[in-house]
Amino acid sequence: MTENTTIRLRYEKTGRIRFVSHLDDVRLWERAMRRARLPLAFSQGFSPRPLMRFGPALPTTFASSAEYIDVELAEEIIPEDLATRLAAVLPEGYGVLCAEALPGKGESLQAAIVAAEYAVLVEDVSGRFPSGFEAEVVHALEADALPVTIRRKGEEKVVDLRPAVLDARVVPADGAGADVLAAARAATTALPRDLPDHWLWCRLASQPRSARPTEFLSVLPSRPRARLVHRSAQLVRDETGSFAEPIDLSLSQESCDGQIRTQTQGSEEARQHAHAAASEAG
Amino acid sequence: MTTSAHTSQSLWHRIEGVLPEVSKPARYIGSEGNIIRKEPSPEMVRWLLVFPDTYEIGLPNLGIQILYELLNDRADAQAERAYAPWTDMATVMRREGIPLFSVDRHDPARAFDVLGFTFPSELLYTNLLECLDLGGVPLRASDRVEGDPLVIAGGHAVTNPEPIAPFVDAVVIGDGEDAVADITAVLGDLKAAGASREARLTALAAVDGVYVPSLYAPVPDSGLEGEGCSVAPKTAAAPDRIDKRTVADLDAMPYPRRPLVPITEVVHDRLNVEVFRGCTRGCRFCQAGMITRPVRERDPAAVRRTVAAGLAASGYEDVSLLSLSSADYSGIDTVLEDIMSDHGEDRIAVSLPSLRVDAFTVDIAAQVQRVKSTGLTFAPEAGTWRLRSVINKLVTDDDLFAAAEAAYASGWKRMKLYFMIGLPTETDEDVLAIAALATRCVEIGRRHHKGASVTVSVGGFVPKAHTPFQWFGQDPPHELDRKLALLKAATRRSGIKLRWHDSAASTAEGIVSRGDRRVADVIEAVWRGGGVFQEWREHFRLDRWLDAAQACGLDPETNVHRERGRDEGLPWDHIAAGPRREFLWDEWEDAHAARELEDCRWTPCYDCGICTDYGLEHRVGSLTPPAGGSQGTGRVPAEVA
């Protein structure tokens, strides 16, 4: 038997499709791959399933331009071909951004991804960008602990969010990354016509649990709401311990449509927090 | 209503804002694979096809999907879909003033010319009112004015349309495909001419298979104690009798071509392909078997093409071959082999949801098993041969045991058996025999697998219009509960898992299924009391129905639990949806004598009235019954000791 080929896909999920759950995403991608007539490899056993592995779940209502799937194929295929064939059959709102063949099976996305970046449209009860928001963010980053109540398996539990907040800052709407938001905005009619000048950019740990930007907002004194959350990057650690993309963007420029911009300039302080989070997990 | 700048009337921008508040928001976004977003134009007849239950239940509905494609293929029509919003969404919609909307373009219900509801079962009727109310459409047809949409109902339940007659403008009896096309043509012309609502209703009454309730009035003294039970035309424009529509050649309707592929979890989430319509096995309790006659098979080659096209367009991993009894399909072996040879390598699984035990063979078991295990369900319906002769479900104990042997030997470890309690002439021995049959199946299974099990699912029988049992006095809930208790005691420690339907729900269904026009008030009172989603346990309460019936002066003893007389008027006498009334009465008498009736596909015609009155005939590929059948083969059924 020949070796299977593993291809890593980066995809986007924008517009109304953001109300679809992660479990639904899994089923939907399996069907799309069948419609694209890809040479899927199947698991052994009584109920064979296509061999597909997803990265950390994206919460329902979040948009994203940085979701990942590793799919095993029984035949070799040019990654760009796969992207083209999928593009023709995917439901609206989903799009393949990059595809890359992995050497071997690759490390599990669930285990490898340690952090994620989010662009968040923040508003107060009157639908405006909250005044004093920036000071609240700075103040939160200076705190030693950020206790937050989360629900797990139906039970409420208090955890410290601080180690999971690797970085957070207020960014002008015309700054870096704004094009990511613009793409999400284009498909989201519920947004106010006159967008606020600023939005929240944050990098949160995905290990030992995926921290959510909405949890970060809930620890701020004025409790602002998230109008839209867009996941703009997910990060692994490279050999040197630095944050890196799970897919080699320089190799796959051909199939990337130019929408992808990443923010990888984390502060040293944030890096330390990430290490703290990782050691807490171990 | 003001129109927003970017799209015509789409409510999406308002809906999107509230979706984070509600459960399962993907129900409301549309965006399915193969969705049709046809731009409406003023001369088109716009249909909103409404399934009055949740999105998860409604999306796979084949009737809606067929009409959706068929209407959008027409130049003079445009069709979209809506489903009943779950209670949390309905609350938010009322708070925000968001009306019932289509999931295709998110247009409000009032933007459509016709709201077409389908009713597979009677308990959905309160959701008709919920949907109309959310849509801003007056509940009663008599309160609707020019500019209000026409409300049209179809589906098996409405073959007795009287319980919802005041709420609907028209009812389609029988197959929907041709009727909906005719209605579209008629309404399109009248729309262009700017005709009045009254003129449109009169024109609809002239369309074959269409019943316009407002043109009929109750006949005094047609029921018991001076009740106006039957109805008769008020005007010459309304026919005395409404004959059902029948699509004679299903191959002329090759739908669905591009099945809707949901983006969230739904029931029956697979490629559904109809292999034939109609059934002449003649089960006397079965409304579907009576009202969908005659048998019309699709050509196996056409089924093969539809499956191939459907799989390519959907990416589905499962195919379900639908009919009332799929193993009776004369092309079943060919089709199963073709599907396996075309798609076996793609790990496609085939399921046959309605299998008769007497037509289930090792060959079929092997074909269905070849790729992936699917569930296996049989419906013997009654515990003894005597009672099965009464209901004319002519499968023997040995048929069942042979099917169990074939199934367990082919690798299945579980089987599910459907039975009814509360059937005519039923005794406690008949009820207890259910446990004995299932126990024997467990024993057969355990010869093959240590953990083999049998699930027995029991429902209380509700007599339906257009069947030989339409005169039967339904068992009251306490009697159903007593019989169920017998069965529970008899299946303890046996390897049998017993499941049952709530006897209270059977009683509510009974109030509606053979009800007359007065039942509309009961339905409205239940809805006003908060009774939506009545097929959902968490929303169903029998006392709402009983209180409403009492308030409306309807006594369930008289209307549900009493046996009706031969010459009594019936509320559906003006609807010709099934065999002739005389034939049904003969069958009712034969049932009491436990006299069996063979399947007319394979034996001479006994003139039930369907083929002879409508110039139709069976379309079957073979004049011999499927292998192993005890019905129509001349084999003497084994008596139960």
Side-chain angles (χ1 to χ4, degrees), chain B residues 62-113:
Chain B
L62 202 54
I64 297 256
Q65 290 211 21
I66 289 171
L67 296 183
Y68 177 68
E69 268 194 87
L70 184 146
L71 283 166
N72 281 314
D73 278 352
R74 292 176 64 98
D76 60 351
Q78 192 259 5
E80 304 188 28
R81 299 159 294 130
Y83 306 88
W86 190 244
T87 50
D88 60 346
M89 182 64 168
T91 302
V92 171
M93 287 164 67
R94 288 194 167 100
R95 185 193 75 205
E96 300 289 327
I98 299 172
L100 181 75
F101 53 85
S102 70
V103 297
D104 303 87
R105 298 164 51 91
H106 296 92
D107 279 0
R110 291 189 59 87
F112 293 84
D113 299 300

Side-chain angles (χ1 to χ4, degrees), chain B residues 90-242:
Chain B
T91 302
V92 171
M93 287 164 67
R94 288 194 167 100
R95 185 193 75 205
E96 300 289 327
I98 299 172
L100 181 75
F101 53 85
S102 70
V103 297
D104 303 87
R105 298 164 51 91
H106 296 92
D107 279 0
R110 291 189 59 87
F112 293 84
D113 299 300
V114 181
L115 307 185
F117 286 83
T118 184
F119 290 101
S121 63
E122 295 87 352
L123 287 182
L124 294 175
Y125 287 157
T126 63
N127 272 14
L128 163 65
L129 301 183
E130 176 75 353
C131 290
L132 291 177
D133 187 60
L134 280 170
V137 178
L139 300 186
R140 302 242 166 195
S142 54
D143 294 332
R144 288 179 206 136
V145 295
E146 304 296 337
D148 286 329
L150 290 170
V151 178
I152 302 184
H156 286 188
V158 304
T159 50
N160 173 21
E162 291 310 301
I164 55 164
F167 307 132
V168 293
D169 295 296
V171 177
V172 171
I173 307 296
D175 293 336
E177 291 95 333
D178 294 333
V180 159
D182 289 354
I183 291 170
T184 301
V186 165
L187 291 181
D189 290 347
L190 292 174
K191 191 175 181 177
S196 69
R197 190 173 189 89
E198 197 187 339
R200 283 180 288 156
L201 290 173
T202 308
L204 284 181
V207 176
D208 287 345
V210 177
Y211 169 51
V212 178
S214 59
L215 304 182
Y216 297 73
V219 179
D221 299 327
S222 57
L224 275 192
E225 297 149 14
E227 295 156 5
C229 183
S230 307
V231 300
K234 290 195 286 191
T235 112
D240 292 336
R241 195 180 77 171
I242 296 90

Side-chain angles (χ1 to χ4, degrees), chain B residues 282-498:
Chain B
C283 302
R284 290 171 176 136
F285 58 85
C286 180
Q287 187 184 45
M290 294 293 159
I291 64 175
T292 61
R293 294 168 175 223
V295 173
R296 290 148 288 153
E297 292 193 345
R298 271 186 209 280
D299 176 33
V303 172
R304 183 184 194 168
R305 282 195 301 273
T306 305
V307 168
L311 286 175
S314 67
Y316 272 125
E317 50 287 284
D318 296 294
V319 184
S320 199
L321 301 179
L322 299 186
S323 72
L324 291 172
S325 174
S326 296
D328 282 347
Y329 178 48
S330 64
I332 191 72
D333 292 337
T334 316
V335 161
L336 284 173
E337 269 170 37
D338 287 347
I339 293 174
M340 288 306 162
S341 78
D342 292 352
H343 310 288
E345 277 185 16
D346 300 329
R347 312 304 200 272
I348 298 296
V350 179
S351 60
L352 303 170
S354 311
L355 283 173
R356 282 178 65 96
V357 297
D358 51 353
F360 185 78
T361 62
V362 177
D363 279 356
I364 289 180
Q367 288 287 1
V368 178
Q369 183 72 1
R370 218 166 87 191
V371 163
K372 197 153 66 175
S373 171
T374 53
L376 196 57
T377 302
F378 296 112
E381 311 289 4
T384 60
W385 172 257
R386 185 202 68 81
L387 189 52
R388 289 197 293 274
S389 300
V390 170
I391 65 175
N392 208 48
K393 179 88 186 193
L394 300 182
V395 301
T396 66
D397 290 8
D398 287 343
D399 289 332
L400 175 62
F401 302 147
E405 176 66 34
Y408 288 117
S410 306
W412 271 281
K413 294 185 176 63
R414 276 168 303 160
M415 64 191 287
K416 198 169 172 187
L417 300 175
Y418 279 142
F419 291 95
M420 285 186 289
I421 52 173
L423 289 164
T425 78
E426 183 177 73
T427 65
D428 288 357
E429 286 92 281
D430 294 314
V431 175
L432 290 169
I434 293 173
L437 275 186
T439 303
R440 183 74 189 278
C441 289
V442 173
E443 286 166 16
I444 293 169
R446 298 245 157 119
R447 274 187 241 140
H448 297 277
H449 315 282
K450 232 171 41 197
S453 70
V454 172
T455 300
V456 170
S457 181
V458 181
F461 172 59
V462 180
K464 295 285 162 87
H466 307 290
T467 69
F469 291 171
Q470 64 185 356
W471 289 279
F472 176 59
Q474 184 179 334
D475 265 11
H478 59 83
E479 179 64 3
L480 290 176
D481 288 339
R482 188 189 65 79
K483 288 173 177 172
L484 193 57
L486 288 177
L487 204 49
K488 283 181 194 168
T491 52
R492 236 167 251 150
R493 293 187 301 277
S494 57
I496 299 169
K497 285 183 197 122
L498 187 66

Side-chain angles (χ1 to χ4, degrees), chain A residues 14-251:
Chain A
T14 58
R16 55 187 64 163
I17 255 353
R18 67 197 169 90
F19 294 107
V20 169
S21 72
H22 178 71
L23 273 178
D24 290 333
D25 277 346
V26 172
R27 188 175 24 242
L28 205 141
W29 275 92
E30 183 179 325
R31 292 214 174 117
M33 299 219 185
R34 283 177 184 275
R35 280 201 297 277
R37 314 264 334 145
L38 297 175
L40 297 170
F42 288 88
S43 64
Q44 301 298 308
F46 203 57
S47 234
R49 309 297 304 170
L51 294 168
M52 291 167 58
R53 292 177 294 273
F54 283 74
L58 182 72
T60 309
T61 76
F62 287 17
S64 177
S65 54
E67 299 307 296
Y68 290 93
I69 306 174
D70 288 346
V71 55
E72 281 189 41
L73 300 173
E75 294 164 26
E76 286 213 16
I77 180 167
I78 300 166
E80 282 79 7
D81 271 5
L82 176 137
T84 314
R85 281 159 76 175
L86 279 170
V89 296
L90 279 169
E92 60 189 11
Y94 292 94
V96 177
L97 300 177
C98 305
E100 174 185 285
L102 295 184
K105 278 188 196 297
E107 192 188 356
S108 143
L109 285 162
Q110 292 276 355
I113 288 175
V114 293
E117 293 173 355
Y118 298 91
V120 188
L121 256 187
V122 183
E123 64 178 22
D124 61 17
V125 281
S126 62
R128 279 188 289 269
F129 190 77
S131 59
F133 177 73
E134 188 155 15
E136 287 185 33
V137 171
V138 170
H139 190 71
L141 288 178
E142 286 165 356
D144 293 327
L146 294 171
V148 64
T149 305
I150 59 164
R151 285 187 73 83
R152 262 215 157 158
K153 290 173 184 150
E155 276 179 37
E156 294 201 337
K157 188 176 141 187
V158 178
V159 298
D160 181 10
L161 194 69
R162 184 62 195 89
V165 183
L166 309 183
D167 201 357
R169 69 181 98 98
V170 173
V171 182
D174 56 359
D179 46 354
V180 168
L181 194 70
R185 198 174 60 216
T188 313
T189 51
L191 291 172
R193 196 163 300 169
D194 300 312
L195 284 169
D197 295 338
H198 293 84
W199 46 289
L200 171 69
W201 175 87
C202 61
R203 178 186 290 164
L204 305 177
S206 304
Q207 307 283 359
R209 58 178 281 276
S210 281
R212 297 183 181 197
T214 41
E215 292 164 0
F216 179 62
L217 292 182
S218 76
V219 304
L220 302 180
S222 69
R223 301 208 156 219
R225 297 189 306 195
R227 185 79 188 236
L228 176 72
V229 183
H230 186 99
R231 182 142 83 182
S232 53
Q234 297 200 74
L235 302 169
V236 298
R237 292 213 173 270
D238 65 16
E239 314 80 53
T240 67
S242 309
F243 285 122
E245 294 285 341
I247 198 162
D248 189 341
L249 296 173
S250 64
L251 274 182

